[in-house]
């Protein structure tokens, strides 16, 4: 009798193994997707995206926080289709460059719902943000204040701002994505914050609404958030506090990040206790909204035995830089034979020995032509994809209720020289 196995929590909420033991996402059989759309491909459960957006909103409501904003950090998955889903769900959007600003507007976010971040934005980027009417600009330092003061001269309306403060708190995460420590390229130090606040309060064209922090990414504990909020509390009383993003995601079955509800609940109670009630609380999740919604499909190109068993697939560091950049761990399975006991190195196709997607993974006797699925590629996969070795970037395919739709097409060989003059 056929049984339906359940998948580990790293897969999208509507991921399942069907009666034939094949992975389905959003009711779509991924082997059929691989045949129809080719590989590699990013496959995304649209319902998963929506469910996590709703979970953030419900968590604030459950915590009794009336005034809140959930802001999608669009850098995590900057495809307009993904951004559009979150705009429809009523989220705001964090943009960190002219490009992300452009995409957010194109995806349907109202200018007022945008928060503009960055540690090195030039006049042109600020001008675009001002002209678009972005709701909040996060000021990252004194040079930003100089620039903005100059650019807002003569405007009738004051531009609303947050001041990004570096709270001097280190979260437990990879060095490359830790931002809250005292010596950071982001934000104004706790020591300099009072002077920045004073300057902004005296400004005619700029209106300081509150403080911002972002202590790091892929965090599994709330403790550092509490410590950082305490550091902000010492800087005075503000109407708005934006605690940034950072909630981690489970990349492997052993990992258990805090549930969205618990995480938000603890932030709300820390904020109430340390900042007082009646504040607007903002949070900027990226990874926690998109990571587990996405999987990548690859096709096995070669299997060889050189000390290790090397299973090489048709993608790699061009569609997922995270193993290379952070030594990030992932799981994988043969899409129609989950589990297995063959220990392999899952290698990419690029001309670097470091292009290994997973150094040690058990698969079910992988063979040339098999479809391999790597879950939890929804965050920072698409958005950090590149054309190394002139490999065209994969498409993004949304799946929902058994329907698949391509929301970003695969790059073509001609796209690769489309900008050459
Ligand atoms: N807000 C600000 C100001 C940020 O800089 C970031 C992420 C976020 C929110 C969202 O953080 P999240 O909720 O996704 O942790 N490429 C790295 C992650 C870099 C995060 C950069 N900033 C990775 O693949 O792990």
């Amino acid at each position: 009798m056929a049984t339906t196995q359940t998948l580990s929590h790293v897969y999208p909420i509507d991921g399942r193994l069907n009666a034939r033991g094949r992975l389905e996402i959003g009711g779509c059989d991924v082997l059929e997707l691989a045949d129809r759309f080719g590989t590699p491909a990013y496959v995304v459960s649209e319902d998963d995206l929506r469910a996590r957006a709703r979970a953030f909103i419900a968590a604030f409501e459950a915590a009794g926080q009336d005034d809140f904003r959930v802001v999608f950090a669009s850098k995590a998955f900057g495809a307009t289709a993904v951004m559009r889903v979150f705009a429809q769900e009523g989220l705001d959007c964090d943009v960190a460059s002219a490009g992300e600003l452009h995409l957010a507007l194109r995806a349907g976010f109202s200018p007022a719902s945008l928060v503009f971040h960055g540690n090195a934005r030039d006049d042109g980027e600020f001008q675009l943000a001002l002209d678009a009417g972005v709701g909040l600009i996060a000021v990252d330092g004194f040079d930003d204040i100089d620039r903005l003061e100059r650019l807002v001269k003569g405007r009738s309306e004051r531009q609303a701002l947050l001041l990004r403060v570096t709270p001097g708190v280190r979260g437990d995460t990879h060095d490359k994505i830790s931002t809250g420590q005292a010596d950071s390229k982001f934000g104004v130090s706790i020591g300099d914050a009072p002077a920045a606040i004073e300057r902004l309060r005296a400004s005619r064209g700029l209106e300081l609404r509150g403080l911002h922090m972002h202590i790091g990414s892929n965090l599994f504990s709330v403790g550092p958030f509490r410590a950082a909020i305490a550091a902000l509390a010492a800087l005075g009383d503000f109407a708005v506090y934006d605690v940034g993003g950072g909630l981690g995601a489970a990349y492997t079955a052993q990992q258990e990040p805090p549930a969205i509800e618990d995480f938000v609940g603890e932030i709300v109670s820390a904020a109430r206790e340390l900042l007082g009630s009646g504040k607007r609380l903002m949070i900027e999740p990226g990874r926690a909204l998109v990571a587990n919604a996405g999987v990548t499909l690859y096709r096995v190109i070669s299997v060889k035995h050189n000390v290790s068993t090397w299973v090489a697939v048709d993608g790699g560091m061009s569609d997922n830089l995270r193993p290379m950049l952070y030594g990030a761990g992932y799981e994988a399975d043969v899409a129609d034979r989950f589990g297995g006991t063959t220990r392999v190195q899952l290698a990419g196709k690029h001309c670097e020995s470091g292009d290994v997607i997973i150094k040690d993974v058990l698969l079910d006797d992988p063979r040339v032509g098999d479809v391999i699925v790597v879950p939890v590629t929804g965050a920072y996969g698409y958005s950090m994809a590149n054309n190394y070795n002139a490999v065209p970037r994969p498409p993004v395919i949304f799946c929902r209720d058994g329907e698949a739709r391509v929301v970003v097409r695969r790059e073509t060989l001609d796209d690769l020289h489309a900008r050459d003059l």
Side-chain angles (χ1 to χ4, degrees):
M1 202 186 73
T3 53
T4 307
Q5 278 178 265
T6 46
L7 292 174
S8 94
H9 61 287
V10 303
Y11 278 90
I13 53 164
D14 52 11
R16 62 186 279 267
L17 292 177
N18 66 22
R20 297 157 76 189
R22 295 158 69 139
L23 177 68
E24 287 182 9
I25 306 276
C28 299
D29 179 320
V30 301
L31 267 76
E32 285 169 21
L33 297 177
D35 286 342
R36 186 166 154 209
F37 302 110
T39 51
Y42 300 113
V43 173
V44 174
S45 158
E46 187 178 337
D47 282 345
D48 187 292
L49 297 176
R50 292 186 190 277
R52 287 181 213 261
R54 289 171 196 179
F56 269 100
I57 291 170
F60 276 103
E61 289 170 352
Q65 177 71 27
D66 297 329
D67 194 355
F68 68 89
R69 292 282 187 279
V70 178
V71 185
F72 171 49
S74 63
K75 70 205 79 181
F77 202 151
T80 54
V82 173
M83 296 161 93
R84 187 168 295 117
V85 163
F86 292 133
Q88 288 167 353
E89 293 296 330
L91 270 48
D92 289 0
C93 187
D94 149 2
V95 296
S97 68
E100 287 181 357
L101 170 61
H102 182 73
L103 294 178
L105 293 172
R106 183 133 184 129
F109 280 104
S110 72
S113 69
L114 302 183
V115 186
F116 185 35
H117 285 292
N119 71 310
R121 291 158 293 181
D122 63 16
D123 281 16
E125 285 180 296
F126 277 127
Q127 192 65 58
L128 273 175
L130 291 167
D131 291 347
V134 306
L136 287 166
I137 295 178
V139 168
D140 200 78
F142 292 97
D143 293 317
D144 277 359
I145 302 179
D146 292 343
R147 246 180 220 111
L148 283 166
E149 286 283 25
R150 192 160 29 78
L151 294 171
V152 298
K153 254 192 204 118
R155 294 173 76 94
S156 53
E157 300 232 340
R158 296 169 86 201
Q159 173 63 46
L161 307 177
L162 299 176
L163 175 67
R164 178 166 180 171
V165 176
T166 303
V169 170
R170 211 188 174 297
D172 180 21
T173 188
H174 196 284
D175 275 349
K176 286 182 181 150
I177 54 175
S178 176
T179 46
Q181 70 280 3
D183 193 14
S184 170
K185 71 169 187 169
F186 297 102
V188 175
S189 70
I190 286 283
D192 280 347
I197 291 166
E198 199 175 317
R199 259 198 78 183
L200 290 169
R201 282 198 165 138
S203 169
R204 276 212 211 137
L206 304 173
E207 184 196 341
L208 180 62
R209 293 263 173 88
L211 302 182
H212 174 272
M213 64 183 221
H214 171 72
I215 57 178
S217 202
N218 208 25
L219 299 168
F220 278 63
S221 76
V222 192
F225 283 88
R226 171 172 275 273
I229 291 170
L232 297 195
L235 295 173
D237 192 34
F238 294 88
V240 181
Y241 289 89
D242 182 336
V243 300
L247 175 57
Y251 282 84
T252 59
Q254 295 75 39
Q255 293 178 336
E256 284 285 357
I260 290 170
E261 191 182 5
D262 299 337
F263 176 75
V264 169
E266 290 200 42
I267 297 261
V268 168
S269 68
R272 244 185 236 142
E273 179 192 320
L274 298 163
L275 306 169
S277 52
K279 308 298 182 195
R280 167 168 297 180
L281 282 186
M282 302 176 66
I283 195 170
E284 295 172 341
R287 190 186 319 267
L289 284 168
V290 295
N292 297 87
V295 307
T296 304
L297 304 181
Y298 299 104
R299 187 81 71 172
V300 175
I301 302 296
S302 130
V303 179
K304 65 172 74 147
H305 306 279
N306 289 345
V307 186
S308 306
T309 297
W310 293 89
V311 175
V313 297
D314 51 2
M317 61 184 283
S318 54
D319 57 77
N320 186 359
L321 259 183
R322 300 194 68 261
M324 265 290 223
L325 278 183
Y326 320 113
Y330 286 87
E331 291 182 353
D333 276 292
V334 180
D336 54 349
R337 301 192 310 277
F338 267 58
T341 54
T342 312
R343 189 172 295 278
V344 312
Q345 299 218 41
L346 187 68
K349 71 178 271 108
H350 295 278
C351 304
E352 302 210 14
S353 291
D355 176 34
V356 175
I357 302 167
I358 311 178
K359 284 205 172 76
D360 183 5
V361 60
L362 295 173
L363 296 176
D364 182 3
D365 185 23
R367 305 185 278 269
V368 170
D370 277 343
V371 173
I372 301 286
V373 55
V374 176
V376 208
T377 56
Y380 303 106
Y382 169 88
S383 54
M384 296 199 296
N386 59 83
N387 289 125
Y388 185 38
N389 292 132
V391 170
R393 285 172 292 184
V396 180
I397 299 159
F398 271 20
C399 294
R400 179 166 184 267
D401 287 342
E403 303 270 337
R405 80 192 155 96
V406 178
V407 297
V408 179
R409 67 163 170 79
R410 184 182 304 285
E411 255 178 339
T412 64
L413 295 179
D414 282 334
D415 287 332
L416 296 174
H417 57 82
R419 294 180 302 126
D420 298 359
L421 301 176

